[in-house]
Amino acid sequence: MPEEQPETVRARLMSRPTPLEAAPRLARAIGLAPDDLWIKRDDLTGLGGGGNKVRKLEWTAGAARAEGATTLVTSGAAQSNHARLTAAAGARLGMDVVLVLAGAPSAGMTGNIVLDGLFGARVVWAGEVSEAGLAAAVASVAEDLRTKGARPAVIPFGGSSVLGARGYAEAGWELLEQAPDLSTVVVALGSGGTMAGLVHALGAERVLGVHCGAVADPEQTVSALVGGLSDGGTADRRAADGLRLRLDQVGAGYSALTDPVMAAMTTAARTEGIVLDPVYTGRALAGLIAAVHDGHVRPGQRTVFLHTGGLPGLFGHPEALRRARSAVTDTG
Ligand SMILES: *Cc1c(COP(=O)(O)O)cnc(C)c1O
């Protein structure tokens, strides 16, 4: 457990542990034995509709509060789950929230954006910007808040600072208590903090990250966070060597829906009654299916699929909705 950060820094935003559930029908459907596959339900972290960002916000928003901040500022894609959960965390902690989102307001504002508003966050639209452009917009929003007498704290993109990644080191230790014989945990890789925390707790060989196209260099992003979590000793730096990554599920880009991802979503829904999202968890399951197919994940090993949430994003993804709707009419 971290010594440098007193426990009072972290905010309590969820009850733990999240459930670890057997998924025998999904296991069989993807070529594993019924007993091999388990789902770690981090979609059930509770706050704000749930999802993996809650564990990171316990640390990042908690630190902001401990430093006397009045306002949380963060950024993301229009359908950012992290932005939605920052809005919810602000409501829970009695802090104002400003979200700087890429894109522009549109008539069909649905999914996460509706929830951002419901939680009382103010949304600033940054237009079509690069990563650097978004960061600049965040800096100017924070500066503006300061001149108005607020005390803003900026939470990084996806909540993936070293501090935020601590939340997933804890999740890794929690999972190890539930599944001591764990062989592989499969996780969607977005801004990298989730995978990095798990690698810190479980070792690189037990974590398979499926790149979702949110960052330019996923390996470098995760290694840097793993390095930051360690005390910097050589043994710890080596912990990031041999990261297991799948880069084959990005398709035409972050928000594009591929056939394997749609198939994975349909399979999870029809075998276990579990909803995945088109950007993250759908890609993670498509990556697991590919890993079973090419022998990187084998029957007879304890495999855990980390469900990181994202359900509201399904309703903000026109292409996924169109294809899900056509399934309704096809089976009529
Ligand atoms: C953000 C997110 C991820 C990826 O987590 P990172 O820590 O950003 O890599 C996975 N799944 C969902 C649903 C997310 O919102």
Side-chain angles (χ1 to χ4, degrees):
M1 291 297 287
E3 303 84 30
E4 325 81 47
Q5 293 287 345
E7 185 67 12
T8 50
V9 160
R10 91 115 73 110
R12 287 279 173 187
L13 299 175
M14 59 177 281
S15 55
R16 46 174 56 81
T18 57
L20 181 68
E21 296 177 347
R25 282 171 44 77
L26 178 59
R28 236 183 266 118
I30 69 173
L32 294 174
D35 211 29
D36 292 343
L37 181 64
W38 295 69
I39 303 180
K40 174 72 169 162
R41 299 294 305 270
D42 271 18
D43 55 323
L44 303 181
T45 49
L47 179 78
N52 64 331
K53 302 309 185 305
V54 176
R55 290 190 190 265
K56 304 197 238 180
L57 282 160
E58 285 202 318
W59 289 96
T60 54
R65 182 182 61 174
E67 286 156 12
T70 58
T71 309
L72 302 174
V73 181
T74 198
S75 60
Q79 285 298 331
S80 168
N81 297 303
H82 165 68
R84 181 239 316 164
L85 289 169
T86 302
R92 179 71 67 87
L93 298 172
M95 301 169 85
D96 294 330
V97 177
V98 183
L99 304 175
V100 182
L101 302 182
S106 68
M109 287 201 293
T110 54
N112 279 297
I113 302 170
V114 178
L115 298 178
D116 296 342
L118 196 58
F119 293 132
R122 178 159 72 87
V123 173
V124 174
W125 293 99
E128 298 305 323
V129 284
S130 63
E131 211 174 298
L134 201 57
V138 167
S140 108
V141 163
E143 189 45 43
D144 189 48
L145 284 164
R146 250 176 245 115
T147 32
K148 289 176 176 145
R151 301 187 62 181
V154 174
I155 298 186
F157 173 75
S160 284
S161 55
V162 171
L163 182 63
R166 273 177 204 280
Y168 266 90
E170 292 178 319
W173 292 315
E174 180 182 304
L175 175 58
L176 213 45
E177 285 194 8
Q178 294 170 312
D181 58 346
L182 172 74
S183 176
T184 298
V185 54
V186 181
V187 60
L189 193 180
S191 61
T194 302
M195 180 174 184
L198 293 172
V199 166
H200 182 70
L202 304 170
E205 69 286 352
R206 286 199 281 194
V207 186
L208 175 62
V210 182
H211 177 40
C212 298
V215 292
D217 186 341
E219 180 160 24
Q220 168 54 28
T221 302
V222 174
S223 311
L225 290 166
V226 173
L229 280 168
S230 71
D231 63 9
T234 27
D236 290 313
R237 259 184 273 123
R238 246 184 279 123
D241 288 355
L243 287 177
R244 294 170 66 191
L245 296 176
R246 287 201 80 98
L247 308 177
D248 56 354
Q249 300 301 326
V250 177
Y254 178 75
S255 57
L257 180 63
T258 66
D259 288 343
V261 170
M262 192 67 212
M265 290 173 65
T266 307
T267 302
R270 293 179 187 184
T271 55
E272 301 291 349
I274 284 194
V275 184
L276 304 181
D277 77 285
V279 173
Y280 293 106
T281 52
R283 280 198 172 96
L285 182 58
L288 171 57
I289 292 169
V292 172
H293 193 255
D294 65 23
H296 285 103
V297 170
R298 288 188 299 279
Q301 305 174 329
R302 170 90 56 176
T303 299
V304 171
F305 178 81
L306 181 67
H307 194 328
T308 44
L311 172 58
L314 172 60
F315 295 97
H317 196 292
E319 171 67 5
L321 289 178
R322 191 184 63 71
R323 292 178 67 169
R325 263 188 225 111
S326 79
V328 177
T329 48
D330 286 354
T331 52

